[in-house]
Amino acid sequence: MNKPVKQHLIDPEICIRCYTCENTCPINAIEHNDDNVVVDPEICNFCMECIPVCPTGSIDEWRVVATPYSLEDQYSWEELPEQEDLPSQDEAATGLEALDDAVAALLADAHSGAGGKARAPGTVSKPTINLYTAGKPAPAKVQGNYRLTRDESHDVRHIILDLGGLPFPVLEGQSVGVIPPGVDSDGNPHLPRLYSISSPRDGERPNYNNLSLTVKREEHGVASNYLCDLKVGDEVQLTGPFGATFLIPDDPEARLLMICTGTGSAPMRAFTMRRQRVSGNQSGGMTMFFGARTPDSLPYFGPLKKVPKTLLDQHLVYSREGQKEYVQDRMMVEEDLVADLIQDPKCHIYVCGLRGMEDGVERAFTSIAESVGQQWVALRDAMREEGRYHVETY
Ligand code: NAP
């Protein structure tokens, strides 16, 4: 057997084909065709410059291999191969000692950290991914563009896009890429920007081929200003759909614990509507901790008020009204409820929104788990392994 080597790969299920990594790589080790973006094992020198620029984390994939996967292999993949068992049976007794230090460290890295390797729920519909690319995008027509927030300085929009007769199958929790028109400061076409879909699989309007996005206007944001200014009838170029793990289980008995901030509520809206459409207001089993600055800046505040508690147990928290409160603070207040959920093998956890919330949420889970004699890290890693722990933060 060849001495194992580490290989840098890109996850085709998560990658949004924005080619930022390819444009960043200083030695042209990354290339693409209409299907996938791939890393040339002959050229890549692990300089890591492509890692932080990737908007989805799909770039951060590594395998230890006896023979590197070829470009041809990588172009043919719809999903990444699992890490093969290395070394061989004889060498297995000595385990990682058989690998050189760098490789061992790499393996350890790949399996540690709160991010960890995401897995789809056990009972899940098969997502379609990457049907439309930057080279071959799907044109969609704007059907509606509604402001969701009353706060003057916080413009969040609900944007409905109609795909007409074009097949664009999506599942709740998936995202689409939006290509802003025009060129960037270097004269290159803009790269797609990723947005979570906030409508359920059968359409914003049931059985219509449309979907919705939840978009906050960002100062100087190229895509967000473009989207927030769209008028009914305008055409938008979409890529995707993307995402194969942050998905809702089909099992109607699964209990969902959803923790989100701001526009991170987009997939939670889709999950809630899915459950409501499948089993009416009785389906239950959904708990949400949702953080915003004020009620006036909380997307979907009005519609949420009408969702019955039998369907969704809501904990809306505000950081700039009354006593400052974050989602993780409210989780601590509701620790009995959270403790019950995290110990239930039917519970799926979804965290979506600001990257900064992750630490606080982890700390809350740690403390709540300890209060019932459990170790959060072990619980979380088991949940993730079973496709029951999902984090999507930007
Ligand atoms: P935002 O209004 O800036 O913040 C929402 C709430 O989160 C505020 O109350 C904020 O409090 C609070 N917050 C700030 N730091 C926190 C922390 N460390 N822990 C817990 N809560 C914290 O949110 P936003 O502008 O809508 O941003 C949402 C994020 O979600 C963006 O980064 C976006 O990229 C991401 N996201 C969006 C989508 C989508 O589909 N659009 C999907 C996934 C993720 P204070 O500001 O008062 O401190």
Side-chain angles (χ1 to χ4, degrees), residues 52 62 73 127 189 215 348:
W62 311 88
D73 292 334
V215 181
H348 288 243

Side-chain angles (χ1 to χ4, degrees), residues 154 156 194-197 214-216 218 261-264 266-267 291-294 297 299 317-320 324-328 352-358 360 392-394:
H154 202 89
V156 182
L194 197 63
Y195 290 90
S196 299
I197 296 164
T214 312
V215 181
K216 180 183 154 195
E218 301 282 355
T261 50
T263 52
R293 297 172 188 185
T294 64
S297 66
V317 304
Y318 305 111
S319 58
R320 302 191 195 178
K324 177 185 168 108
E325 194 179 16
Y326 279 167
V327 279
Q328 54 268 35
C352 189
L354 297 166
R355 164 105 354 132
M357 71 192 279
E358 260 185 63
E392 203 167 281
T393 53
Y394 294 80

Side-chain angles (χ1 to χ4, degrees), residues 132-148:
Y132 299 93
T133 60
K136 246 193 274 165
K141 275 242 150 57
V142 177
Q143 274 186 317
N145 178 350
Y146 308 97
R147 185 160 176 150
L148 293 169

Side-chain angles (χ1 to χ4, degrees), residues 80-229:
L80 275 185
E82 291 287 323
Q83 170 65 54
E84 279 176 21
D85 279 341
L86 285 173
S88 69
Q89 289 302 317
D90 290 341
E91 290 160 310
T94 50
L96 289 177
E97 287 159 26
L99 307 177
D100 64 46
D101 287 350
V103 173
L106 180 87
L107 267 180
D109 263 5
H111 299 116
S112 69
K117 171 93 177 135
R119 283 183 199 281
T123 61
V124 81
S125 307
K126 177 88 183 142
T128 302
I129 50 156
N130 198 31
L131 205 53
Y132 299 93
T133 60
K136 246 193 274 165
K141 275 242 150 57
V142 177
Q143 274 186 317
N145 178 350
Y146 308 97
R147 185 160 176 150
L148 293 169
T149 47
R150 283 205 301 230
D151 181 343
E152 293 252 318
S153 60
H154 202 89
D155 185 5
V156 182
R157 301 275 171 160
H158 183 65
I159 298 171
I160 305 171
L161 301 173
D162 179 31
L163 276 304
L166 216 55
F168 204 97
V170 300
L171 292 177
E172 304 78 16
Q174 284 196 293
S175 304
V176 293
V178 172
I179 310 176
V183 292
D184 64 18
S185 53
D186 296 327
N188 298 318
H190 286 298
L191 298 170
R193 311 300 209 271
L194 197 63
Y195 290 90
S196 299
I197 296 164
S198 50
S199 51
R201 67 188 74 183
D202 56 340
E204 170 71 10
R205 181 171 172 183
N207 304 317
Y208 276 66
N209 192 20
N210 61 3
L211 56 84
S212 69
L213 306 178
T214 312
V215 181
K216 180 183 154 195
R217 192 188 289 280
E218 301 282 355
E219 215 186 330
H220 310 302
V222 172
S224 74
N225 280 290
Y226 161 65
L227 283 166
C228 289
D229 290 337

Side-chain angles (χ1 to χ4, degrees), residues 278-313:
V278 170
S279 34
N281 290 340
Q282 300 312 312
S283 59
M286 303 180 86
T287 302
M288 179 169 73
F289 291 87
F290 184 174
R293 297 172 188 185
T294 64
D296 279 352
S297 66
L298 185 134
Y300 306 110
F301 182 78
L304 266 174
K305 287 276 144 213
K306 296 190 192 126
V307 177
K309 194 171 174 182
T310 47
L311 179 71
L312 177 69
D313 181 14

